[in-house]
Amino acid sequence: GNSVTQMEGPVTLSEEAFLTINCTYTATGYPSLFWYVQYPGEGLQLLLKATKADDKGSNKGFEATYRKETTSFHLEKGSVQVSDSAVYFCALSGDRGSTLGRLYFGRGTQLTVWP
Amino acid sequence: DGGITQSPKYLFRKEGQNVTLSCEQNLNHDAMYWYRQDPGQGLRLIYYSQIVNDFQKGDIAEGYSVSREKKESFPLTVTSAQKNPTAFYLCASSIAGMDNQPQHFGDGTRLSIL
């Protein structure tokens, strides 16, 4: 079946530190992979996506590369800001039958950045 | 601006009462989804619909019901059979039939028990 395992938080960093949030997945077929971000009291916003192996998604300084050989999609940012404090979710999309388009989410990682 | 509107933002339920959460979208999306979010558990799928007048159970459908009479609307009813309804509920929509399209989310409804 499809599932996502995400690095447990919380993660606490100082401003300008390097960020990595690990995400690995199990899937049948060739899913698309997503990172979403959730700010307090809000819904989820798409941060970036990758739809095939070796694709790199990027947005707002965040990057993640679809690694089929290691079934991973780790999120990275070279220099975090206080405004990056949020919960980050890794997700994969089912690619066939009744699962087509369904998203399977990790548990989320809380990031707090201190000035 | 296109988007998803969830209402109300906060909702309180008395014991034995059914409550309905509203979700409306003007993105012209065929597919719509309801998720439940509990602290530390990520998002769990309750129901989803790929087309009008059709919907499927997700992973935690017990105690919930939905309807999809219009493309724009996908209301969720939390019935009295749901014994632990306190949670943050999120509605989402997407282009149907494709796995590489992201889901767009509303701002959620927080349901609490009185």
Side-chain angles (χ1 to χ4, degrees):
Chain A
N2 296 323
S3 66
V4 173
T5 302
Q6 213 178 310
M7 170 179 163
E8 288 196 19
V11 174
T12 303
L13 295 173
S14 297
E15 206 164 27
E16 299 183 4
F18 184 86
L19 169 71
T20 299
I21 301 178
N22 290 339
C23 171
T24 57
Y25 67 89
T26 301
T28 53
Y30 304 93
S32 293
L33 299 172
F34 304 86
W35 276 101
Y36 284 85
V37 58
Q38 183 180 35
Y39 299 100
E42 297 183 7
L44 275 65
Q45 302 174 24
L46 177 69
L47 183 58
L48 53 84
K49 73 174 187 179
T51 60
K52 61 182 187 296
D54 299 324
D55 266 1
K56 177 186 283 188
S58 61
N59 185 25
K60 300 180 181 178
F62 290 90
E63 292 183 341
T65 300
Y66 189 157
R67 302 284 189 202
K68 194 168 188 305
E69 65 275 13
T70 55
T71 61
S72 66
F73 192 54
H74 305 320
L75 182 68
E76 296 182 336
K77 186 175 186 182
S79 176
V80 293
Q81 306 300 313
V82 172
S83 57
D84 293 327
S85 298
V87 181
Y88 293 82
F89 291 93
C90 184
L92 72 83
S93 180
D95 71 338
R96 62 191 58 196
S98 63
T99 71
L100 182 63
R102 260 198 65 167
L103 286 181
Y104 298 82
F105 285 90
R107 292 192 168 199
T109 302
Q110 172 76 56
L111 169 67
T112 302
V113 181
W114 296 101
Chain B
D1 279 343
I4 298 180
T5 301
Q6 289 188 243
S7 62
K9 193 170 179 64
Y10 299 95
L11 186 58
F12 298 91
R13 195 191 90 168
K14 295 180 181 178
E15 293 289 340
Q17 187 181 44
N18 293 354
V19 292
T20 297
L21 284 61
S22 171
C23 178
E24 303 278 333
Q25 56 99 358
N26 61 3
L27 297 166
N28 200 33
H29 287 164
D30 284 306
M32 297 187 74
Y33 309 82
W34 273 106
Y35 295 92
R36 172 180 170 139
Q37 185 176 18
D38 296 282
Q41 292 203 40
L43 277 71
R44 293 182 289 170
L45 183 65
I46 305 172
Y47 270 97
Y48 62 108
S49 169
Q50 302 279 13
I51 197 168
V52 173
N53 292 324
D54 189 39
F55 49 83
Q56 289 81 39
K57 292 182 180 180
D59 301 323
I60 56 164
E62 185 174 351
Y64 300 96
S65 66
V66 294
S67 62
R68 186 82 189 278
E69 298 175 1
K70 298 187 301 181
K71 186 175 184 177
E72 302 80 19
S73 178
F74 191 41
L76 173 74
T77 296
V78 184
T79 74
S80 57
Q82 173 49 246
K83 297 307 179 189
N84 183 24
T86 297
F88 191 51
Y89 291 86
L90 287 163
C91 179
S93 71
S94 69
I95 296 171
M98 302 179 72
D99 72 312
N100 61 358
Q101 296 299 313
Q103 291 183 12
H104 299 256
F105 285 81
D107 282 339
T109 292
R110 189 165 297 280
L111 176 61
S112 302
I113 297 298
L114 282 177

